[in-house]
C-alpha cells in the first residue's frame, strides 16, 4: 500500500491564531484574565486593553522568533539613540502592519464592539516634543518595514510632553500621566538592568603591568531598567525593539536612616534616583543647562552602551575591538552625544582597551545627525557642572580635545582662530563643552536633515569642520511614514488611490506617481474631492462635538500645526487673518473666499512670546468668529493639546498647509511632508524641505512667497529697519495698530504690546519684510481655490509627486551611505499562527 503522509490538522493557538473565532476567544480571555471583567462589566478602557493584549500576543510570537533568528545570524545592526520618541498610538498601527485591521474589525463587530472606538481609547506615549522625536518614531517604522536590523534606545519618561489646555485663551500646562492606567505594549526586562553612576571623583592606579589606569569612584548609583516595546513593520516579520530605560533606586530604602528616625531620609535616595526619568523637558529649541537634563542624557546613554557591549561580549564572543564591525550607533542630535566619552570610558577603564584602539572603535561606531542651526538650541554644558556630575568624562573629553586640537594644528598651521572656533571647549568666558563638536569629532559621519540645512551647515555653522573632514558630511532629507500618515490617518484617500493603482505604494511611495495619469480623470477627481470633503467633515464634527464651533466644510481649511515659535511665524498667519477681517469690515459685501484657519501646537512653558502668540490667536478668534459682518466667512480655531493622535485627523482635512518659517531657520520640517501626502497645497517659504517639496511637486503646484535664506541673511547684515514696512504699508500699519491698541484685548489694551513692539523695532524673524509678499500669495491661493477643478488637479499632483518624502527612502539612504547595513529578512517557521510558546523551546 502506498504511504500517505499524515494530514495536518490545523489547530490555532489562542495566542497566535488569526481566525475570527480564535481572535474573539482570545479577546474574551484577556478581558477575563487580564482585566478581570466580563463583557457586561467591562469599561471602554478594559475593552481597549483586552484587544491590545490580543494583538500583542500575535506580535510577540513573531518578535521572539525573529530575535532568535537575529541572535543566530547576528547581522550588522544599527542602534538609534534618541532622547525622544514621539510614537503616537500603537494599536491601529499594529493592526495595519499585521494586515489584520479588517479581520479584527469584523471579529469585534461580531462581539458588538466598535473597533474605531476601541482604537480611540489609547493614550499615546508623548515621549517627545515635536519633529525630532516624531522623526525617530517614523524611522523605527521604516526600519521595521524595510527589514533593517535595528534597535531604538531612549528614555521611558513617566510624564511625557505636558497636556495643554486653553483657559481664557492662554496655554495652561498639565501633567501627562500616560502610564496611569497601564501600558499594554511594553515589557520590562528586569534581568537586563544595569547600573549607572554619577558624581564622585576619579582615582589613578597602576595595574600589574604598571600601566596607568583610572577608575571612577562615583557617589551615586542608579538602576536602569529596560522596557521593551515591539515596533512592527508593514507586512514584515522584522523585529525592531524600542528599548526605553527607567531609573530606579539601587537601594530604595536606607535602613540606617530609618533606624535613626529619619523617615524621609530613608527614601531620599529612591526619590532622587527616580526623578531622572520622571519628566520630559518640554523645550524644543532652547537649551536649559539644567543638571537633571544632563543626568537624563548620561543615564540612557550609559545604560545603552553597557547593554550593547554586554551583548557583544556574551553573544558574539569576539574582541570588543571589532564592535564597530557589528554595530553602528546613530546619535539623534547632540542629546546622546556624551556617548562618545562614555564609550571611551567603558572601553579603556572597564575593558582594558588602549586609548588609540578605543578611539578607533568609538570613531567608527558613531554617526551624528544635526537637526537645528538655531544658536540657542546648540547644546553646551557648563564645565564645572559637567565635571561635578561626570568627572571621568570631563578628563576624557579634555584628552580627546588635546589630540583633536593637535590634528587641527597639523592640518592648518598657525590658525589660532580656527583652534578656538573648533575646540570642544568654549573658552570665551565661563568654560563650556560644545556637544556638537564632541559629536563631530567622535563620529564617522555627520548629516543635516534637508538639502538647504546641510548646505548652511557646511558653509556656515560647521564650515571649519567641513574643511577638516569633508568626507564625513552628507545630507539625508527627512521623511515620514506613509503607514501612519496616509493609510491609518486618511483611509478614504488611501482607498481612492488604491482603486486605481492597488496598494504597492504603501511599501514603495514613489509608485504614487502612477496616479498622475488620472489627474484629469473626471470620476477620479470626483472621488478625490469626496475623500477630501469627508476628511474635512470628520474634523469639523470633532471640533463641533468638543468645542461647539461650527465649521463650513466648503471653506478653505487653512492649517498651521507645529510647535509655537517665533521663527515658525504663527503670528504672520495672524496678520493675514486680521488683514482679511479688515477688508470685510471696510466692505461687508466683499466677495471673499471663505476660510477656516486652524492652529495647533504647544509652546515651551517658559517661552513668554510663544505663549503670548497663543493668546493672540485665541483673542483674534474671539472677535472674528463672533462679528456679524464676517457672517461665518472667516473662522479661527485653536485646537488644544496638539498631539500625534489629534494630528491624524488634521492633515487629511487640510486644503492649505502653512509652512511659513523665516528662510534658513527651519532645518527641514516634516509636517510639510504629511500635508503634501494628504493632498494639501503648500503656502511656504524657501526653507528646509519646502524647497525639495516644491521641486518635486512643481512650482506651479506650490504657493511660494518671501525672502530666501540668502536674502534674509543679507537683509539682516545690512541695516534692516522693520519700521519702514510699517510706515509704507497701510494694511500692515492698520493691523498692527489694532493689535497694539487692544482691539482684540479690550479688557487689557496693552496685552499684545510686546508682540507689536518686537515686530516694529527688532523683527528678528523678518515678518515685516515678508508681510506683503505673504498677503499677495494668499490672495493667489484664494483665487486658485475658486476653480475647484484646477485645485483638485493640483492636489492630486502633490500627492502623486510626494514619494520622495517617505521615511523609507530616508532610511535606505542612511543604510547605503552611512550605516552600510543591508536588509535582513527574518525566517519564521511555517504556520506560525498555530504555534504557541512551545515552538520556541
Ligand atoms: C532641541 C533641544 C535643545 C535643548 C533641549 C531640548 C531640545 C529638544 C529638541 C531640540 C530640537 O532641536 N528639536 C527639534 S529640531 N525639533 C524639530 O522639529 C527639528 O528636527 C526636525 C527633524 O529633523 C526638523 O524637521 C525640524 O525642522 C527641526 O526644527
Amino acid at each position: 500500500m502506498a504511504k500517505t503522509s499524515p494530514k495536518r490538522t490545523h489547530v490555532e493557538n489562542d495566542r497566535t491564531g488569526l481566525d475570527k473565532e480564535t481572535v474573539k476567544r482570545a479577546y474574551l480571555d484577556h478581558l477575563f484574565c487580564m482585566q478581570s471583567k466580563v463583557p457586561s462589566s467591562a469599561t471602554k478602557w478594559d475593552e481597549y486593553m483586552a484587544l491590545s493584549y490580543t494583538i500583542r500576543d500575535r506580535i510577540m510570537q513573531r518578535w521572539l522568533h525573529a530575535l532568535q533568528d537575529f541572535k543566530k545570524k547576528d547581522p550588522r545592526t544599527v542602534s538609534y539613540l534618541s532622547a525622544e520618541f514621539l510614537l503616537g498610538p500603537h494599536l491601529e498601527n499594529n493592526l495595519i502592519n499585521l494586515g489584520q485591521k479588517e479581520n479584527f474589525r469584523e471579529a469585534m463587530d461580531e462581539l458588538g464592539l466598535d473597533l474605531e472606538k476601541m482604537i480611540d481609547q489609547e493614550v499615546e506615549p508623548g515621549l517627545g516634543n515635536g519633529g525630532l522625536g516624531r522623526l525617530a518614531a517614523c524611522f523605527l517604522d521604516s526600519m521595521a518595514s524595510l527589514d533593517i536590523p535595528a534597535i531604538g534606545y531612549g528614555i521611558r519618561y513617566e510624564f511625557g510632553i505636558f497636556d495643554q489646555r486653553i483657559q481664557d485663551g492662554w496655554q495652561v500646562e498639565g501633567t501627562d500621566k500616560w502610564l496611569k492606567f497601564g501600558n499594554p505594549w511594553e515589557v520590562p526586562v528586569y534581568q537586563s538592568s544595569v547600573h549607572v553612576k554619577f558624581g564622585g571623583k576619579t582615582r589613578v592606579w597602576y595595574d600589574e603591568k604598571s600601566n596607568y589606569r583610572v577608575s571612577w569612584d562615583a557617589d551615586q548609583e542608579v538602576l536602569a531598567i529596560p522596557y521593551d516595546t515591539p515596533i512592527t513593520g508593514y507586512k514584515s516579520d522584522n523585529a525592531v525593539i524600542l528599548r526605553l530605560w527607567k531609573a530606579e533606586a539601587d537601594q530604595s530604602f536606607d535602613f540606617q536612616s530609618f533606624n535613626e528616625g529619619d523617615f524621609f531620609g530613608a527614601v531620599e535616595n529612591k526619590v532622587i534616583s527616580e526623578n531622572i526619568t520622571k519628566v520630559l523637558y518640554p523645550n524644543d529649541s532652547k537649551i536649559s543647562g539644567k543638571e537633571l537634563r544632563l543626568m537624563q542624557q548620561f543615564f540612557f546613554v550609559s545604560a545603552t552602551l553597557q547593554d550593547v557591549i554586554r551583548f557583544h561580549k556574551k553573544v558574539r564572543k569576539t574582541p570588543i575591538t571589532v564592535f564597530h564591525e557589528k554595530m553602528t550607533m546613530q546619535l539623534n542630535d547632540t542629546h546622546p552625544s556624551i556617548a562618545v566619552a562614555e564609550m571611551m570610558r567603558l572601553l579603556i577603564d572597564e575593558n582594558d582597551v588602549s586609548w588609540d584602539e578605543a578611539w578607533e572603535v568609538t570613531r567608527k561606531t558613531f554617526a551624528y545627525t544635526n537637526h537645528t542651526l538655531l544658536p540657542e538650541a546648540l547644546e553646551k554644558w557648563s564645565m564645572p557642572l559637567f565635571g561635578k556630575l561626570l568627572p571621568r568624562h570631563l578628563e576624557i573629553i579634555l584628552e580627546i580635545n588635546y589630540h583633536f586640537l593637535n590634528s587641527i594644528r597639523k592640518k592648518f598651521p598657525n590658525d589660532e582662530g580656527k583652534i578656538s572656533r573648533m575646540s570642544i571647549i568654549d573658552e570665551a568666558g565661563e568654560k563650556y563643552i560644545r556637544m556638537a563638536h564632541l559629536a563631530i569629532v567622535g563620529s564617522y559621519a555627520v548629516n543635516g536633515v534637508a538639502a538647504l540645512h546641510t548646505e548652511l551647515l557646511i558653509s556656515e555653522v560647521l564650515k571649519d569642520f567641513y574643511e577638516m573632514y569633508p568626507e564625513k558630511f552628507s545630507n539625508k532629507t527627512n521623511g515620514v511614514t506613509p503607514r501612519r500618515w496616509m493609510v491609518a490617518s486618511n483611509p478614504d484617500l488611501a482607498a481612492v488611490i488604491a482603486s486605481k493603482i492597488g496598494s504597492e505604494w504603501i511599501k514603495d511611495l514613489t509608485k504614487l506617481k502612477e496616479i498622475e495619469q488620472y489627474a484629469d480623470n473626471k470620476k477620479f477627481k470626483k472621488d478625490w474631492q469626496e475623500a477630501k470633503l469627508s476628511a474635512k467633515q470628520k474634523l469639523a464634527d470633532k471640533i463641533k462635538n468638543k468645542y461647539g464651533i461650527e465649521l463650513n466644510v466648503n471653506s478653505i481649511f487653512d492649517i498651521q500645526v507645529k510647535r509655537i515659535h517665533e521663527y515658525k511665524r504663527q503670528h504672520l498667519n495672524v496678520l493675514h487673518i486680521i488683514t482679511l477681517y479688515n477688508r470685510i469690515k471696510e466692505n461687508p459685501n466683499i466677495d471673499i473666499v471663505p476660510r477656516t484657519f486652524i492652529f495647533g501646537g504647544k509652546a515651551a512653558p517658559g517661552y513668554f512670546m510663544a505663549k503670548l502668540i497663543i493668546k493672540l490667536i485665541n483673542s483674534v478668534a474671539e472677535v472674528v468668529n463672533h462679528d456679524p459682518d464676517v457672517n461665518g466667512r472667516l473662522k479661527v480655531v485653536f485646537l488644544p493639546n496638539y498631539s500625534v493622535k489629534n494630528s491624524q485627523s488634521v492633515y487629511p482635512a487640510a486644503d492649505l498647509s502653512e509652512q511659513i518659517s523665516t528662510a534658513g531657520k527651519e532645518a527641514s520640517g516634516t509636517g510639510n511632508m504629511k500635508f503634501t501626502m494628504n493632498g494639501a497645497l503648500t503656502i511656504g517659504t524657501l526653507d528646509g524641505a519646502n524647497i525639495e517639496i516644491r521641486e518635486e511637486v512643481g512650482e506651479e503646484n506650490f504657493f511660494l512667497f518671501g525672502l530666501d535664506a540668502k536674502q534674509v541673511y543679507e537683509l539682516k547684515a545690512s541695516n534692516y529697519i522693520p519700521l519702514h514696512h510699517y510706515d509704507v504699508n497701510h494694511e500692515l500699519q492698520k493691523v498692527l495698530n489694532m493689535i497694539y491698541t487692544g482691539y482684540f484685548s479690550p479688557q487689557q489694551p496693552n496685552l499684545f504690546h510686546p508682540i507689536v513692539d518686537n515686530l516694529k523695532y527688532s523683527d528678528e524673524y523678518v515678518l515685516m519684510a515678508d508681510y506683503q509678499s505673504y498677503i499677495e500669495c494668499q490672495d493667489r491661493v484664494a483665487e486658485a481655490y475658486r476653480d475647484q477643478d484646477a485645485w483638485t488637479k493640483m492636489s492630486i499632483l502633490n500627492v502623486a509627486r510626494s514619494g520622495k518624502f517617505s521615511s523609507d527612502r530616508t532610511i535606505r539612504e542612511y543604510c547605503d551611505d552611512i550605516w552600510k547595513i543591508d536588509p535582513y529578512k527574518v525566517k519564521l517557521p511555517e504556520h506560525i499562527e498555530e504555534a504557541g510558546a512551545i515552538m520556541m523551546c
Side-chain angles (χ1 to χ4, degrees):
M1 250 176 51
K3 256 197 189 165
T4 54
S5 57
K7 225 180 168 182
R8 249 193 113 87
T9 35
H10 286 254
V11 180
E12 279 207 338
N13 185 291
D14 269 13
R15 298 266 184 198
T16 53
L18 295 171
D19 190 84
K20 233 180 293 164
E21 288 309 313
T22 315
V23 167
K24 279 158 51 182
R25 204 169 51 241
Y27 164 82
L28 291 170
D29 192 50
H30 278 307
L31 194 62
F32 194 75
C33 296
M34 298 295 288
Q35 301 302 110
S36 318
K37 294 287 172 68
V38 290
S40 60
S41 65
T43 63
K44 295 264 163 273
W45 178 257
D46 293 322
E47 291 166 356
Y48 157 75
M49 289 293 273
L51 176 59
S52 299
Y53 284 126
T54 311
I55 271 287
R56 194 185 87 168
D57 287 343
R58 278 134 189 89
I59 295 169
M60 280 304 161
Q61 178 69 7
R62 286 163 172 74
W63 205 40
L64 291 179
H65 275 290
L67 287 178
Q68 287 219 330
D69 194 34
F70 273 139
K71 258 195 188 162
K72 252 193 276 160
K73 300 281 161 45
D74 192 25
R76 180 170 161 82
T77 301
V78 56
S79 290
Y80 196 83
L81 272 61
S82 179
E84 306 189 6
F85 285 93
L86 190 45
L87 298 164
H90 292 282
L91 175 56
E92 183 179 29
N93 231 49
N94 284 334
L95 283 166
I96 290 171
N97 284 346
L98 291 186
Q100 286 298 312
K101 191 165 175 199
E102 281 323 303
N103 188 33
F104 271 62
R105 189 199 303 284
E106 286 167 23
M108 292 303 111
D109 218 36
E110 288 175 19
L111 292 171
L113 296 165
D114 180 339
L115 180 69
E116 297 300 332
K117 288 202 176 125
M118 296 169 96
I119 288 170
D120 205 38
Q121 283 298 308
E122 185 164 350
V123 181
E124 74 174 78
L127 309 185
N129 273 285
L132 172 143
R134 182 54 230 174
L135 185 78
C138 283
F139 281 4
L140 293 180
D141 181 285
S142 285
M143 291 189 287
S145 300
L146 293 172
D147 295 311
I148 303 305
I151 174 163
Y153 278 108
I155 301 173
R156 182 181 178 273
Y157 301 103
E158 184 178 339
F159 306 131
I161 186 69
F162 63 85
D163 285 333
Q164 179 197 56
R165 276 184 304 119
I166 300 297
Q167 209 167 30
D168 192 24
W170 293 97
Q171 167 175 298
V172 179
E173 299 91 15
T175 311
D176 162 47
K177 297 186 178 153
W178 71 287
L179 290 165
K180 192 163 150 190
F181 298 114
N183 172 12
W185 303 106
E186 66 183 8
V187 185
V189 193
Y190 299 106
Q191 66 276 22
S192 297
S193 301
V194 295
H195 288 90
V196 177
K197 303 197 281 187
F198 295 99
K201 38 189 189 325
T202 61
R203 184 169 46 83
V204 172
W205 59 286
Y206 291 88
D207 63 18
E208 61 283 2
K209 289 183 198 143
S210 303
N211 290 320
Y212 172 91
R213 304 292 299 266
V214 182
S215 55
W216 176 18
D217 299 336
D219 60 14
Q220 195 188 346
E221 225 171 271
V222 177
L223 199 61
I225 302 171
Y227 282 69
D228 288 356
T229 301
I231 304 296
T232 54
Y234 181 72
K235 293 194 174 163
S236 148
D237 296 320
N238 190 17
V240 167
I241 306 173
L242 175 58
R243 175 159 279 196
L244 300 179
W245 298 97
K246 174 181 194 269
E248 275 194 15
D250 186 27
Q251 284 170 325
S252 55
F253 201 81
D254 175 352
F255 279 98
Q256 195 179 337
S257 301
F258 187 77
N259 291 336
E260 287 164 4
D262 180 5
F263 303 121
F264 288 103
V267 291
E268 196 182 317
N269 182 31
K270 179 172 165 66
V271 173
I272 294 173
S273 300
E274 290 178 3
N275 270 347
I276 294 176
T277 52
K278 190 61 81 187
V279 59
L280 166 79
Y281 274 89
N283 293 337
D284 195 34
S285 50
K286 199 168 187 253
I287 51 173
S288 62
K290 293 274 193 307
E291 183 174 351
L292 186 62
R293 165 89 179 166
L294 181 57
M295 288 179 90
Q296 290 186 335
Q297 297 184 348
F298 179 69
F299 169 78
F300 98 89
V301 163
S302 175
T304 299
L305 292 180
Q306 291 182 57
D307 200 42
V308 294
I309 290 175
R310 177 177 55 193
F311 179 87
H312 183 94
K313 294 207 286 201
K314 198 170 138 200
V315 175
R316 300 199 179 112
K317 300 191 178 78
T318 50
I320 196 64
T321 44
V322 298
F323 175 83
H324 56 280
E325 292 172 11
K326 281 296 188 182
M327 178 167 279
T328 180
M329 306 186 92
Q330 189 68 34
L331 305 174
N332 196 23
D333 215 291
T334 51
H335 316 153
S337 60
I338 184 65
V340 171
E342 174 66 348
M343 186 69 157
M344 290 295 283
R345 185 189 73 82
L346 289 168
L347 293 174
I348 296 168
D349 296 353
E350 306 208 346
N351 288 277
D352 298 348
V353 179
S354 70
W355 176 278
D356 289 346
E357 276 189 300
W359 186 237
E360 171 99 355
V361 175
T362 301
R363 264 193 328 107
K364 289 184 170 168
T365 295
F366 295 107
Y368 155 63
T369 305
N370 173 289
H371 293 267
T372 180
L373 300 165
L374 300 183
E376 65 270 30
L378 296 179
E379 281 196 308
K380 52 182 192 171
W381 288 106
S382 138
M383 204 150 112
L385 182 152
F386 192 97
K388 191 177 106 207
L389 199 66
L390 303 169
R392 177 62 180 135
H393 299 79
L394 180 55
E395 290 173 2
I396 291 173
I397 289 171
L398 292 176
E399 186 156 352
I400 292 173
N401 200 38
Y402 171 79
H403 294 294
F404 170 56
L405 297 185
N406 278 344
S407 66
I408 305 175
R409 289 194 181 99
K410 223 165 152 188
K411 190 154 180 176
F412 304 99
N414 305 320
D415 193 344
E416 281 308 304
K418 226 183 201 0
I419 296 282
S420 74
R421 287 195 307 272
M422 292 180 79
S423 172
I424 298 172
I425 311 298
D426 175 356
E427 305 200 40
E430 197 204 329
K431 287 188 182 168
Y432 285 97
I433 304 174
R434 296 157 160 164
M435 300 310 276
H437 296 204
L438 177 65
I440 298 168
V441 176
S443 295
Y444 66 92
V446 179
N447 74 283
V449 291
L452 174 69
H453 170 61
T454 304
E455 244 171 74
L456 294 174
L457 269 184
I458 65 181
S459 63
E460 285 172 31
V461 182
L462 302 178
K463 185 167 187 275
D464 290 312
F465 287 91
Y466 179 65
E467 283 168 7
M468 178 96 184
Y469 315 114
E471 70 291 345
K472 281 196 191 184
F473 286 79
S474 74
N475 176 57
K476 297 286 164 284
T477 298
N478 285 164
V480 302
T481 168
R483 271 73 64 179
R484 183 177 293 273
W485 299 111
M486 297 182 76
V487 181
S489 315
N490 203 345
D492 294 341
L493 199 71
V496 174
I497 296 169
S499 73
K500 290 290 184 209
I501 65 169
S503 44
E504 271 179 36
W505 57 275
I506 300 171
K507 256 200 175 294
D508 175 3
L509 207 65
T510 58
K511 292 226 153 73
L512 282 177
K513 270 251 156 17
E514 293 168 18
I515 62 168
E516 238 188 272
Q517 58 185 300
Y518 305 105
D520 288 311
N521 177 312
K522 259 209 171 107
K523 166 80 170 59
F524 187 73
K525 277 172 132 171
K526 193 165 154 278
D527 292 347
W528 193 271
Q529 284 170 342
E530 276 170 13
K532 283 301 295 182
L533 196 66
S534 115
K536 288 169 82 173
Q537 191 64 58
K538 279 186 204 160
L539 180 63
D541 290 346
K542 279 194 182 163
I543 290 174
K544 173 86 174 92
N545 289 338
K546 264 193 134 165
Y547 311 110
I549 305 172
E550 195 101 42
L551 301 186
N552 169 10
V553 290
N554 294 313
S555 65
I556 304 177
F557 273 29
D558 176 338
I559 307 188
Q560 188 171 19
V561 282
K562 49 182 80 242
R563 288 296 289 243
I564 313 293
H565 199 294
E566 287 163 281
Y567 85 76
K568 295 178 190 277
R569 303 199 295 192
Q570 279 91 355
H571 45 337
L572 179 58
N573 190 339
V574 174
L575 299 187
H576 172 236
I577 298 172
I578 302 173
T579 305
L580 291 184
Y581 174 73
N582 286 343
R583 288 182 189 168
I584 291 177
K585 291 303 277 183
E586 270 160 31
N587 174 10
N589 294 324
I590 191 171
D591 175 19
I592 211 164
V593 181
R595 284 211 202 212
T596 301
F597 296 92
I598 297 174
F599 293 86
K602 294 176 183 178
Y607 188 172
F608 167 76
M609 275 300 222
K611 290 177 121 174
L612 195 57
I613 291 172
I614 293 181
K615 174 67 178 168
L616 176 64
I617 294 168
N618 285 304
S619 303
V620 170
E622 193 58 31
V623 171
V624 170
N625 295 355
H626 297 110
D627 190 319
D629 283 347
V630 174
N631 197 16
R633 285 175 290 177
L634 304 179
K635 274 272 160 72
V636 183
V637 183
F638 188 93
L639 288 179
N641 208 34
Y642 184 66
S643 61
V644 174
K645 187 173 174 178
N646 294 335
S647 75
Q648 288 186 214
S649 43
V650 171
Y651 294 112
D655 294 308
L656 189 64
S657 156
E658 297 270 354
Q659 306 302 334
I660 59 178
S661 52
T662 314
K665 295 287 178 191
E666 187 71 88
S668 163
T670 42
N672 46 4
M673 302 169 185
K674 296 166 198 166
F675 278 114
T676 302
M677 281 177 192
N678 281 281
L681 306 192
T682 304
I683 180 162
T685 47
L686 285 176
D687 199 16
N690 295 353
I691 298 175
E692 289 156 80
I693 291 175
R694 180 166 171 266
E695 267 166 27
E696 291 294 308
V697 304
E699 58 187 56
E700 66 287 6
N701 301 307
F702 186 106
F703 294 97
L704 178 71
F705 77 96
L707 301 175
D708 65 21
K710 186 159 170 272
Q711 290 167 325
V712 169
Y713 179 84
E714 283 166 0
L715 180 68
K716 289 176 57 176
S718 71
N719 185 21
Y720 174 46
I721 302 173
L723 198 60
H724 166 75
H725 295 281
Y726 173 86
D727 289 336
V728 300
N729 188 322
H730 291 113
E731 271 196 323
L732 174 61
Q733 193 176 97
K734 181 154 186 204
V735 168
L736 289 179
N737 286 348
M738 285 164 78
I739 300 173
Y740 194 81
T741 55
Y743 188 97
F744 302 102
S745 55
Q747 312 294 326
Q748 286 169 277
N750 301 342
L751 184 62
F752 299 118
H753 280 191
I755 292 180
V756 178
D757 284 338
N758 194 291
L759 292 179
K760 282 162 68 173
Y761 305 111
S762 152
D763 196 21
E764 188 182 348
Y765 300 106
V766 297
L767 273 80
M768 303 286 275
D770 273 350
Y771 170 84
Q772 190 56 32
S773 162
Y774 182 53
I775 298 296
E776 285 167 13
C777 191
Q778 286 285 20
D779 290 343
R780 292 200 299 278
V781 168
E783 284 318 302
Y785 195 76
R786 287 182 197 275
D787 183 349
Q788 275 297 292
D789 203 50
W791 184 278
T792 304
K793 180 171 179 178
M794 290 197 282
S795 168
I796 294 170
L797 292 179
N798 264 261
V799 176
R801 299 169 182 177
S802 68
K804 171 174 175 184
F805 304 104
S806 166
S807 44
D808 296 350
R809 186 268 314 148
T810 316
I811 287 297
R812 270 196 205 98
E813 289 181 4
Y814 275 95
C815 282
D816 294 347
D817 305 342
I818 298 180
W819 302 336
K820 310 290 178 203
I821 286 189
D822 295 320
Y824 173 80
K825 270 215 186 299
V826 169
K827 291 197 183 31
L828 292 185
E830 259 183 78
H831 300 292
I832 192 162
E833 58 289 345
E834 294 166 22
I838 201 79
M839 285 224 22
M840 304 292 299
C841 308

